[in-house]
Amino acid sequence: MVLSVSERTFTQEVLQSPIPVLVNFEAPWCSLCRLIHPLLLQFNAQCGEQIKLVAVNADNNFKLANTYRLRTLPTLLLVENGIIRQRLEGFSSKEDLRLALEEIKLTYNNRSRTYNAVTTADMECRSA
């Protein structure tokens, strides 16, 4: 399931999140948004706890749509520590989006492994 975020909850759920967040700006009338939804659900299932997926209804959250200068829907923003790390918009095909999501997943899987290795090594050093 994808968490629905609004202007009221955006700061807490996205900008202050301890893990990276993939924000999907969408609208109910957007056919491409509906088309990519299964890909995003698959991405969410594969990433588990490493990346959070949230949805923002651009029609109901006009301030957010303006703040992030949406030009087209869907627009995906990868936000880490309150900073936009990647912006995905205007994909030419479902395959383009799939490849971009795959790249994000690999990047954050590798970071997570590196972080866990450093944390484990650090703890081993402290106990020695």
Side-chain angles (χ1 to χ4, degrees):
M1 189 174 110
V2 178
L3 177 65
S4 183
V5 175
S6 68
E7 290 165 357
R8 188 176 58 80
T9 59
F10 192 84
T11 297
Q12 178 184 351
E13 294 295 339
V14 177
L15 301 178
Q16 296 175 348
S17 175
I19 62 172
V21 181
L22 184 62
V23 182
N24 177 25
F25 283 94
E26 59 185 7
W29 51 262
C30 172
S31 58
L32 184 55
C33 298
R34 289 191 303 269
L35 186 66
I36 68 164
H37 192 75
L39 267 178
L40 293 173
L41 291 176
Q42 182 181 14
F43 172 81
N44 192 36
Q46 292 170 347
C47 288
E49 304 284 319
Q50 295 164 342
I51 300 174
K52 178 170 41 171
L53 175 64
V54 301
V56 175
N57 182 323
D59 287 347
N60 295 341
N61 296 281
F62 191 69
K63 284 183 184 177
L64 286 174
N66 274 341
T67 299
Y68 292 99
R69 297 183 179 143
L70 300 186
R71 296 183 297 241
T72 184
L73 292 178
T75 293
L76 303 171
L77 300 179
L78 180 64
V79 180
E80 183 180 21
N81 298 321
I83 299 167
I84 298 171
R85 299 290 182 194
Q86 194 166 357
R87 184 180 188 106
L88 304 170
E89 60 187 345
F91 357 98
S92 58
S93 71
K94 226 173 149 178
E95 184 63 14
D96 282 350
L97 175 60
R98 191 188 66 71
L99 291 172
L101 292 174
E102 213 39 56
E103 184 179 317
I104 290 170
K105 188 170 53 173
L106 288 172
T107 299
Y108 283 90
N109 280 342
N110 290 338
R111 269 193 203 171
S112 180
R113 283 191 203 110
T114 302
Y115 174 77
N116 287 338
V118 169
T119 303
T120 303
D122 188 40
M123 292 180 97
E124 288 172 357
C125 288
R126 288 182 186 170
S127 65

